[in-house]
Amino acid sequence: GAGVSQSPSNKVTEKGKDVELRCDPISGHTALYWYRQRLGQGLEFLIYFQGNSAPDKSGLPSDRFSAERTGESVSTLTIQRTQQEDSAVYLCASSPNTGSNQPQHFGDGTRLSIL
Amino acid sequence: GQNIDQPTEMTATEGAIVQINCTYQTSGFNGLFWYQQHAGEAPTFLSYNVLDGLEEKGRFSSFLSRSKGYSYLLLKELQMKDSASYLCAVKGGTGFQKLVFGTGTRLLVSP
């Protein structure tokens, strides 16, 4: 597609349920990032994927969070046993390659609300 | 690790000039980005610096000093539509590809 696509755009779920968020990066982009943005706050790094290299998971806040990416395409972020503090917008971004000057292109995010 | 500091909020008047500062500490440095984010929207790319000095792009300019761990974004001829959050982000870390954002500076432009 023309841009980074995220689904669903909104998700409301009960505390304790598992959720899966999806990101379709721009075709050909080898780098993919996940961020969390709580209301009125900055972007919190979660994880990034670069080609076939091992992902950098250093930002995942707990073992309830995991992410996968199939090759250089779709990525899914899974949150197990959701808690109210997981409520946030989850943003995905992709960039063309490892070139340092390549900017990230962001999707519109998934707004997650935990009741 | 990577640590980035920006002022939380700034106000300015339409037509004026405003400078938003960013200081950072990082293990490994592979460039500094500025993004603009309007409320409820995704961030959009504004500028990139990897070498010391000033990069100018229309009304927006960005400056970097690697030795000081310091950058600023300069916005000239402010317009009401410039009211937004401005995010400083540093690429570094192991592998030099981890992009970490500051908390952002909320800029309010008044008439």
Side-chain angles (χ1 to χ4, degrees):
Chain A
V4 177
S5 176
Q6 291 188 245
S7 61
S9 54
N10 284 282
K11 177 72 175 179
V12 180
T13 192
E14 293 179 347
K15 176 182 172 181
K17 300 287 188 182
D18 296 352
V19 295
E20 189 173 276
L21 312 180
R22 177 187 171 105
C23 173
D24 279 281
I26 294 172
S27 179
H29 280 197
T30 59
L32 186 148
Y33 299 77
W34 283 99
Y35 295 90
R36 176 170 71 179
Q37 187 171 33
R38 293 193 168 110
L39 187 63
Q41 298 188 21
L43 274 69
E44 178 186 357
F45 169 83
L46 297 177
I47 186 171
Y48 93 87
F49 298 87
Q50 176 60 59
N52 294 319
S53 301
D56 182 334
K57 304 179 181 181
S58 60
L60 295 178
S62 77
D63 59 7
R64 297 187 296 107
F65 287 72
S66 63
E68 294 184 352
R69 187 180 186 193
T70 306
E72 295 183 354
S73 61
V74 172
S75 176
T76 55
L77 176 69
T78 302
I79 309 174
Q80 296 178 310
R81 306 180 302 281
T82 52
Q83 303 294 313
Q84 288 186 329
E85 64 261 27
D86 299 335
S87 296
V89 176
Y90 289 82
L91 289 164
C92 175
S94 69
S95 63
N97 55 38
T98 57
S100 61
N101 64 339
Q102 298 296 324
Q104 288 66 36
H105 300 262
F106 282 85
D108 289 334
T110 294
R111 186 175 302 278
L112 177 64
S113 300
I114 310 299
L115 301 178
Chain B
Q2 289 160 273
N3 188 48
I4 302 169
D5 289 310
Q6 305 179 235
T8 304
E9 286 190 357
M10 298 183 71
T11 58
T13 306
E14 197 173 14
I17 299 172
V18 70
Q19 178 175 312
I20 302 174
N21 295 325
C22 170
T23 58
Y24 65 89
Q25 294 147 342
T26 182
S27 55
F29 178 79
N30 201 17
L32 185 144
F33 294 79
W34 284 95
Y35 282 81
Q36 180 190 61
Q37 186 178 29
H38 284 100
E41 298 182 11
T44 55
F45 169 74
L46 289 178
S47 69
Y48 169 79
N49 295 72
V50 68
L51 299 176
D52 290 351
L54 189 68
E55 294 283 341
E56 297 186 79
K57 190 184 292 185
R59 293 190 300 115
F60 293 2
S61 302
S62 56
F63 171 84
L64 175 68
S65 169
R66 289 172 296 171
S67 62
K68 296 181 179 178
Y70 168 69
S71 173
Y72 68 71
L73 180 68
L74 192 71
L75 291 77
K76 304 175 185 176
E77 302 169 14
L78 281 173
Q79 302 175 9
M80 298 295 289
K81 67 178 182 180
D82 297 330
S83 292
S85 287
Y86 291 86
L87 312 177
C88 174
V90 173
K91 183 177 277 190
T94 304
F96 300 93
Q97 294 300 324
K98 181 176 175 179
L99 185 71
V100 175
F101 284 79
T103 55
T105 298
R106 191 175 303 114
L107 174 66
L108 178 62
V109 180
S110 56

